[in-house]
Amino acid sequence: MDRRNQEFSRRSLLCAAGAAIALTVVAQPTQAGTIAPKRAVELGAGQRADLAERAIVERHVRSLWGLSRRQLGTLVWPADLVERAAVGRWCYWWQAHLLDCAVDAAHRARTPERIDRVVAVARGIRTRNVTGWTNRYYDDMGWLALALDRAERLLDIQFDDALADLRTGLLAGWNPDVGAVPWRSGDDFYNTPAIGPTGIALARLGEVPRAEQLADFLHARLCDAETGLILDGVHEPGGRVDRTVHTYCQGVTIGLETELALRTGEPVHRHRATALVGAVENGLTEAGVIASAAANDSGLFMGILARYLAETALALDDTTAANIVHASAEAAWTNRAEVDGLPLFGADWARPVVVPEQPGTFLQLADAAAASSANLSRDLSVQLSGWMLMEADYRLTVAGR
C-alpha cells in the first residue's frame, strides 16, 4: 500500500491554522469525564491494549487544523483552546510515539479505521512540521524513522521519500571525530536519547556499521562501571559526563544491542543486551515494576523501556526482560483509575491512581500539586507509556513468553 503524502504551501497551512483557531474559539470546552474506581473485571492482554488505545483516541486524537486525513494528539487532556487549535507547543517526538503506538494497534488487529489512523497521524506530523519530515533534533528524527519504518514493514504503508529523508538527516549529524551523533545539530552534547534511537533506525535502514559504532560509543563512554546502567550523555570535546540515569536510556540501548545481535550474529551484542537487562532489574525496578518517572517528556520514559524489553524478550528469549514487562503491565493496570469506563494510567505504575471520595471531573484535579499527590497526569506522554506497555505485554503474551 503506497500512501502518497500531499504537500501544502505555507500560505495554505497558515490559512488552515487560522480557520482552526477561529473554530476552536467558539467550540465548547472538552468534557473531562468522571473519575471512578477501576472495575474488577478480568481482561486479557489484547483487551487491555484495546482499551488503552481507545482512551487516547477518544481523549487526545484530533483533526489537525480542520484538514482531512491529518491528525495529531493533544498534549494534555482536557485540552484548552490553544492546545486544541494545535498552534502552541510542537512536540514532534510525542507524536512520533503516538504513531508508533497506532502501528502497534493496527498490527495487533488490523482494521480500516486503524490503518487510516496511522496514515492520518503520519500526515499530521508532516503537515505540522511545515518544512518537511526532518528537524534539527536527532532523537526526534530517530523516533519518527522507527515509527515510519515499522508502518512500512508491518503494515505496508509508505510515505513518499520520508524514510530516505530521515536517513539522510540522521547521517548528516555524524561527527567522525566523536564517532556519534549529537542531541541536535550544532550541539556538543552526545546523549543516549539521541544515539540510541538513531542507532536502531540506522541498523534497520541498512547502515549496520554506523549502528555498531554508536553501540560501541554508548558502551565505552556512557556505561557506568559500578551499576552497569547507561548514563545520559557526554559533552565533546572535553568529556564532561552527565551521569543522570533515565529508564529510557536503558531501553534504547537494549534495543540497539538486540537489533545488532540479530543483524550481525556477534555474541558481544547479545551479552551487552542481557547484561543491561539485568542491571535494569537490579537498579530500576521495584518488585519487578519499572521505576516511575514524572509527567511531561519523562512520561514517555517508562513505556520506551517496556517496548524494547519486550523486543529483547522476543528476539533473544530473555525471560528477565519478559518478567519485567508482565509485572509492570499488571501493576499499571491494577493501579489505574477509569474515566467514563476507559483507563487513566498514573506516572508511577506501582502506585494507585487515587480516586476522590466525592468523584468529580479530572479537570478539577488538574493542578500540579493535586496531580502529583494523586498519581494523576493529564499528559499524553504518560498515557502513551501506558498504551505502549499494554501493547508490549500483549506481544509477549501471544508469543507465550
Side-chain angles (χ1 to χ4, degrees):
M1 182 187 303
D2 189 5
R3 304 287 185 135
R4 297 294 174 180
N5 186 66
Q6 299 175 2
E7 301 294 337
F8 282 80
S9 68
R10 291 191 181 187
R11 181 177 180 180
S12 63
L13 288 174
L14 290 171
C15 290
I21 295 168
L23 289 172
T24 302
V25 168
V26 299
Q28 293 298 312
T30 303
Q31 295 300 311
T34 300
I35 302 177
K38 61 184 178 292
R39 295 169 294 173
V41 178
E42 290 297 323
L43 298 175
Q47 293 171 301
R48 292 179 177 184
D50 185 64
L51 290 172
E53 174 196 13
R54 283 180 52 199
I56 285 181
V57 169
E58 292 188 14
R59 296 172 191 154
H60 291 271
V61 177
R62 297 289 181 270
S63 173
L64 174 64
W65 298 337
L67 299 170
S68 64
R69 303 187 73 186
R70 280 162 177 77
Q71 296 179 333
L72 289 178
T74 58
L75 302 187
V76 296
W77 174 83
D80 61 20
L81 297 178
V82 172
E83 177 64 28
R84 296 207 305 280
V87 294
R89 184 163 59 110
W90 169 221
C91 205
Y92 179 122
W93 81 291
W94 290 24
Q95 307 298 337
H97 284 287
L98 173 62
L99 176 60
D100 221 3
C101 285
V103 171
D104 288 336
H107 188 239
R108 169 170 49 85
R110 187 180 184 120
T111 65
E113 180 184 14
R114 286 184 170 124
I115 296 298
D116 287 346
R117 183 171 301 119
V118 170
V119 173
V121 172
R123 286 177 167 172
I125 292 170
R126 167 60 187 85
T127 301
R128 179 61 179 82
N129 202 48
V130 181
T131 57
W133 294 100
T134 63
N135 71 5
R136 63 188 293 255
Y137 290 84
Y138 296 104
D139 55 344
D140 281 3
M141 290 190 286
W143 291 125
L144 186 56
L146 288 171
L148 291 173
D149 175 69
R150 293 182 71 238
E152 183 173 318
R153 286 188 295 107
L154 301 179
L155 305 175
D156 196 27
I157 301 175
Q158 301 174 28
F159 295 91
D160 294 337
D161 296 325
L163 280 173
D165 289 350
L166 288 163
R167 176 180 173 276
T168 299
L170 292 171
L171 289 172
W174 186 266
N175 185 332
D177 295 329
V178 177
V181 296
W183 170 44
R184 61 186 176 183
S185 177
D187 208 287
D188 72 345
F189 191 44
Y190 292 78
N191 67 342
T192 306
I195 293 170
T198 295
I200 301 170
L202 290 179
R204 292 179 182 176
L205 296 175
E207 297 285 345
V208 173
R210 284 286 173 87
E212 286 192 279
Q213 287 180 269
L214 292 174
D216 290 344
F217 180 91
L218 291 177
H219 182 73
R221 303 297 305 279
L222 293 174
C223 183
D224 180 60
E226 182 175 346
T227 65
L229 295 169
I230 302 297
L231 306 175
D232 189 39
V234 57
H235 292 267
E236 295 291 359
R240 179 167 57 88
V241 175
D242 183 333
R243 299 188 60 82
T244 307
V245 173
H246 296 298
T247 49
Y248 79 145
C249 290
Q250 321 315 310
V252 294
T253 306
I254 289 168
L256 175 55
E257 296 291 0
T258 298
E259 196 71 31
L260 291 171
L262 292 175
R263 293 179 181 275
T264 69
E266 294 292 335
V268 63
H269 298 299
R270 175 184 286 268
H271 172 74
R272 288 178 186 172
T274 300
L276 188 50
V277 169
V280 166
E281 181 188 38
N282 291 333
L284 291 176
T285 66
E286 181 178 350
V289 177
I290 294 171
S292 65
N296 210 299
D297 280 348
S298 65
L300 277 164
F301 293 2
M302 303 174 294
I304 290 169
L305 175 55
R307 177 183 291 284
Y308 290 104
L309 284 172
E311 291 198 5
T312 299
L314 291 169
L316 306 183
D317 195 24
D318 192 309
T319 56
T320 300
N323 290 340
I324 294 171
V325 174
H326 289 313
S328 298
E330 189 61 33
W333 189 259
T334 299
N335 289 319
R336 77 193 188 284
E338 289 189 352
V339 180
D340 298 333
L342 295 174
L344 178 73
F345 297 107
D348 183 346
W349 292 335
R351 291 176 54 216
V353 175
V354 178
V355 178
E357 292 182 7
Q358 300 294 326
T361 65
F362 184 64
L363 186 61
Q364 292 173 323
L365 296 175
D367 64 275
S372 175
S373 63
N375 190 30
L376 294 170
S377 177
R378 301 175 60 199
D379 286 352
L380 173 64
S381 60
V382 172
Q383 303 312 313
L384 279 174
S385 259
W387 183 7
M388 268 190 272
L389 175 64
M390 296 305 142
E391 296 285 0
D393 185 56
Y394 168 79
R395 289 195 296 276
L396 292 176
T397 300
V398 296
R401 299 293 175 85

